[in-house]
Amino acid sequence: MAHEALRPEFRDLIDENAPVREIGSGFIFTEGPIWHPVEHYLLFSDMPGDVRRRWDQSGISEVARPSNKGNGMTYDAELNLIVCEHATSSLARLKPGGAREVLASHFEGKELNSPNDVCVRSDSSIYFSDPWYGRMPHYGVERPRQLGWQGVFRVRPGATNAGPQLLVDRYLFSQPNGLCFSPDERLLYINDTEQCNIRVFELRDDGTLGNGRVFASGIRDTLKPGVPDGMKCDALGNVWVTAPGGLWIYNPSGQLVGKVAIPELPANLHWGGPDWRTLFITASTSIYAMDVKVGPRTEPFMRADARAPGKTAGSAGTSHDGFRLEAGRCALIIQDMQNDVVMEGGAFAASGSPQHCREQNAIENVRRLAERCRALGIPVIHVWFEVPEGGKGVTLNAPLFENTLQVNALIKGTWGAEPVPGLDAKPGDHVVSKMRMSAWEGTNLETILKAEGRDIVIETGAWTNMSIEHTARTGADKGYIMIVPEDGCSTMNADWHRASVDYAMQNVAAVTTTDDVLRALG
């Protein structure tokens, strides 16, 4: 079953011939897939059967019967399960020990219709849609409606007793259904099953919604069954939504980039797997899985994989015994690996930097790290020192900056400022431009890390005793765990390199090797 690429970027997300694997079947109607980041299993709902099931490598088992005809599910940052219950018209939180807490069940004294889909923001607020499918036969418990309209709500952090907050006009949606945040949580997407569209709203600082507009419309096909239902956002900001024939993918501008063919009518989707590169799809009577090239928008619960048993980077020191890095928390920085800095013929070649870079095998070591990080869904961030033509904006307050201008180095758009061969930016990578030693100063580096939900920074590049050390010091001050594979760094000579990694760097980073980092990533 071939998928359909409508724009070239579709092929960066999924192979056009990627197989769709059936991993379970024989159910009534599947929904609500969610992946446990620590124990690595998939939960999903079978609403009409009133049962919640689990899939892992050993097969499928029942987790709860009855399940209050649960539908959409997610976890909060503490790995409590959040469930939309059709039979009780409630949004409930289930703690790992089994205790159940009702987060929302009424609005203005009237029962909610039937919470349907749910997502959690980084501030712990919970957003959910409330169509009335759970009051229909088969999908829920048939009973009269009390509200008479269908809304989208928010449960404010620590305010469950105050009741949910209505976020949209009561009559804007006919049947609000799937919803998801953009990677930076500045946008909330909400689809409508009856209107066959997706709306997008800006998120205000107080968590309310503003400036709503139609993001995509006409999600229908007279020749194929399928409607907007479940919806998720990937790490690049693309929106994946159930639709006729399978899943339709829209880029952040609202352009349809391609269609993923699914054998049965899909209801929902979620990323999972050890590297977050397996897409799980609940579709009518079955569960399907397929390999994709892009990971999910990092949700708060995904950072909880640090709770897994074992030693983390924060306590690894430099012994590396049991050293383990959680991919969902990591980002890789490749700093100043540009022609002028470390290549023969570059503006700084006379400093000895090309020779030391070769001695360290730094380019190949960084390339190996970048390749592995991309495969695991770890953001790769290139930090380039780029000087505008004429040196405008470069302050001459230090010898380093004065020398850069004197030798006409790192001029933006020239060969000298280009990344070295083998370390160019790939699709999906981030590029940060700077004009200081530290990668943090005057750049959007921290914005990227926060949007990606990363707090462990693997730092590589040139020069060890300047850019690398300055960035590690500031990163430590900011609260990030800094990992420095010393053979992924180089400077002018071995003496300067060792002075940095053996003394100053020991106090602000975990100094290690490329091979140890690769092993720690699994």
Side-chain angles (χ1 to χ4, degrees), residues 16-28:
E16 279 183 276
N17 297 301
V20 180
R21 308 183 298 275
E22 181 188 281
I23 61 173
S25 193
F27 313 114
I28 303 175

Side-chain angles (χ1 to χ4, degrees), residues 9 29 31 35 45 58 106 140 178 228-229 242 266 343 348 358 388 391 409 416 465 491 494 504:
E9 59 260 39
F29 185 83
E31 249 285 10
W35 182 259
S45 306
S58 62
H106 291 71
D229 193 339
T242 64
M343 294 296 286
F348 297 114
R358 289 194 296 270
N465 57 314
T491 186

Side-chain angles (χ1 to χ4, degrees), residues 232-252:
K232 298 292 185 293
C233 196
D234 68 25
L236 303 178
N238 301 298
V239 176
W240 301 53
V241 62
T242 64
L247 309 174
W248 292 9
I249 305 174
Y250 292 88
N251 66 20

Side-chain angles (χ1 to χ4, degrees), residues 432-453:
V432 170
S433 180
K434 66 168 189 173
M435 287 197 294
R436 315 305 290 166
M437 280 183 278
S438 172
W440 306 95
E441 184 66 29
T443 75
N444 64 337
L445 173 60
E446 190 159 25
T447 300
I448 293 170
L449 292 171
K450 288 187 178 299
E452 295 278 8

